[in-house]
Amino acid sequence: MTATGSPLPLLVLGQGTDLHTERGVECPGDLPAPSDPALVERARAAKAALGDRVFVLGHHYQRDEVIEFADVTGDSFKLAKEAAARPDAPWIVFCGVHFMAESADILTSDEQTVILPDLAAGCSMADMAAINQVEDAWDDLVEAGVAQETVPVTYMNSSAAIKAFTGRHGGTICTSSNARTALSWAFEQGSKVLFLPDQHLGRNTYVRELGGSLEDCVVFDPHRPMGGLSVEELQAAKMILWRGHCSVHGRFTVDAVETARREIPGVKVIVHPECRYEVVELADEVGSTEKIIKTVAAAPAGTKWVVGTELNLVKRLGQQFPDQQVSFLEKNVCYCSTMNRIDLPHLVWALESLVEGRVVNPIRVDEQVARYARAALDQMLALPGESHKD
Ligand code: 13P
Ligand code: SF4
């Protein structure tokens, strides 16, 4: 609903839709102007000059202008695996956000360098769990006498330091694709899980996929003493959810789903599990970015979709499947602003710098941190079944 209470019109996406022209570029050095008409040509020329020495990865939420130059596209986990599978490329240019580039650095060899074209491409969710806060929270769990039985399960959307914490405490990383498998594994190791940093993915997976109860879940607020919880609450809880969320997916509302159902008869609502529990409960389908793409791709012509995930991806779905009707779930939700930091000028700058023999914006995880973070990532790869499902 709008501030005045009237329902928001749905945004139907299709070929030629141009929704956003805003640019916020700030970068040291000789960044090309966004208006430079030669940018596409310059990116092509730089890539051609670098040949197999560079490998460009593009996350599904990236702009079209960037995706055009990606050697492979995917979700965060697929891209990390792709980076690891390219040992011959000395330079991996990661068009995504900081935590993804860190994971790629952890999983690639010392001879390879991962480059993030704009260092301002962070993730607000990952920033909601700082390592000192998480260490303090663990001390609280020790004090409450529950740390021994608690297994940390950390979403990929987290800093390398939090991944290392997870590795040190015998936990695992998960993605939105394999959170169910990761949680099942964790509950075989201990009776409680500390889920970091996305409360929604943790809650949705525990309640909807493992059949757990909402009453077993507590939210640990790092800004309050003892997370704002009593010792009794910590002792009774099975899922201790970190108070973090995605600033994009957390904004989709029940109202938007109800409006879609009212305005588009027969519509199918598909959302990412980072959305709030109430929103996910009302959806027809829930899934990671890879699953959303595959589900829409497999649907018969004429299917009407309303999609609750990042706008660049939804916009592309509308372009790729013009025989289906793809709409964005909520008009007042914008692009992920940090994903959008990577634009063609930054990509050209990173590539042309490499051509000139300069490595800009390398992402290097400290070796001690990387060692334990790798343990947590390896635990994810060793989860029963397979390492990565949609
Ligand atoms: P994926 O794990 O699907 O790549 O999602 C990453 C992300 O940032 C979702 O908001
Ligand atoms: Fe982070 Fe959300 Fe952006 Fe994904 S969409 S990178 S979780 S802020």
Side-chain angles (χ1 to χ4, degrees):
M1 303 287 263
T2 60
T4 53
S6 59
L8 288 161
L10 285 158
L11 188 58
V12 180
L13 303 164
Q15 281 168 318
T17 313
D18 184 11
L19 294 159
H20 209 260
T21 52
E22 174 201 317
R23 294 285 158 89
V25 176
E26 219 180 287
C27 198
D30 42 353
L31 195 71
S35 56
D36 181 346
L39 276 182
V40 170
E41 214 29 68
R42 285 172 64 174
R44 276 198 198 121
K47 256 200 106 190
L50 293 164
D52 290 344
R53 288 175 297 154
V54 72
F55 192 62
V56 180
L57 300 165
H59 188 268
H60 288 313
Y61 293 168
Q62 290 288 295
R63 300 162 180 262
D64 286 348
E65 68 194 36
V66 168
I67 287 291
E68 192 184 331
F69 292 98
D71 292 306
V72 67
T73 59
D75 65 7
S76 57
F77 185 69
K78 179 179 168 197
L79 294 181
K81 279 204 305 187
E82 289 282 351
R86 291 291 183 299
D88 296 333
W91 300 308
I92 308 283
V93 174
F94 209 118
C95 300
V97 288
H98 195 267
F99 72 81
M100 297 177 184
E102 279 190 331
S103 297
D105 179 57
I106 291 164
L107 294 170
T108 49
S109 73
D110 291 347
E111 285 70 47
Q112 294 174 288
T113 305
V114 176
I115 292 156
L116 184 64
D118 186 348
L119 291 179
C123 165
S124 53
M125 177 201 285
D127 291 346
M128 287 176 197
I131 187 60
N132 61 322
Q133 292 175 322
V134 175
E135 299 282 11
D136 287 352
W138 192 257
D139 289 346
D140 289 341
L141 299 193
V142 170
E143 208 180 303
V146 300
Q148 283 282 62
E149 52 184 300
T150 303
V151 179
V153 176
T154 296
Y155 191 24
M156 193 72 147
N157 298 27
S158 54
S159 69
I162 308 292
K163 289 187 177 78
F165 162 90
T166 307
R168 277 201 310 277
H169 291 281
T172 186
I173 305 304
C174 75
T175 68
S176 51
S177 311
N178 61 16
R180 179 199 175 129
T181 315
L183 268 193
S184 300
W185 170 85
F187 279 116
E188 283 163 18
Q189 320 304 310
S191 60
K192 291 181 200 299
V193 163
L194 170 63
F195 195 93
L196 299 149
D198 184 15
Q199 59 167 302
H200 300 304
L201 179 64
R203 184 182 295 108
N204 288 330
T205 309
Y206 178 70
V207 177
R208 293 175 43 86
E209 301 205 30
L210 261 56
S213 159
L214 278 175
E215 266 119 60
D216 295 339
C217 303
V218 290
V219 176
F220 190 101
D221 182 348
H223 300 288
R224 296 176 65 191
M226 200 86 155
L229 299 163
S230 65
V231 170
E232 292 71 31
E233 283 171 320
L234 281 171
Q235 285 173 346
K238 290 209 169 92
M239 278 294 276
I240 304 169
L241 303 165
W242 192 260
R243 191 160 187 257
H245 66 273
C246 166
S247 46
V248 176
H249 292 92
R251 295 187 62 201
F252 293 114
T253 60
V254 164
D255 268 358
V257 178
E258 287 170 349
T259 304
R261 294 213 187 280
R262 230 181 8 254
E263 294 188 356
I264 312 176
V267 73
K268 280 187 165 293
V269 178
I270 184 164
V271 300
H272 194 280
E274 287 176 14
C275 294
R276 292 162 186 273
Y277 177 75
E278 316 82 80
V279 173
V280 168
E281 275 288 277
L282 287 181
D284 298 296
E285 306 267 0
V286 185
S288 65
T289 49
E290 288 284 330
K291 180 173 173 184
I292 290 173
I293 296 167
K294 285 183 185 158
T295 306
V296 173
T303 307
K304 297 169 193 162
W305 292 105
V306 161
V307 186
T309 192
E310 209 273 345
L311 185 51
N312 276 311
L313 172 56
V314 183
K315 210 172 96 179
R316 244 183 330 268
L317 285 173
Q319 289 161 350
Q320 279 169 356
F321 304 103
D323 59 343
Q324 302 191 32
Q325 183 184 312
V326 178
S327 307
F328 188 50
L329 178 54
E330 190 137 2
K331 201 187 171 200
N332 65 346
V333 175
C334 319
Y335 297 99
C336 170
S337 58
T338 47
M339 279 278 180
N340 250 17
R341 293 292 308 202
I342 313 290
D343 58 7
L344 197 49
H346 282 87
L347 180 59
V348 167
W349 176 62
L351 291 173
E352 288 184 345
S353 299
L354 287 176
V355 174
E356 289 160 13
R358 269 185 307 127
V359 177
V360 293
N361 295 354
I363 302 299
R364 292 206 183 91
V365 178
D366 171 83
E367 189 37 48
Q368 272 298 98
V369 172
R371 190 152 70 95
Y372 286 106
R374 198 176 296 119
L377 284 162
D378 285 347
Q379 178 52 61
M380 173 173 78
L381 296 174
L383 286 172
E386 53 179 304
S387 56
H388 183 237
K389 291 196 270 181
D390 295 332

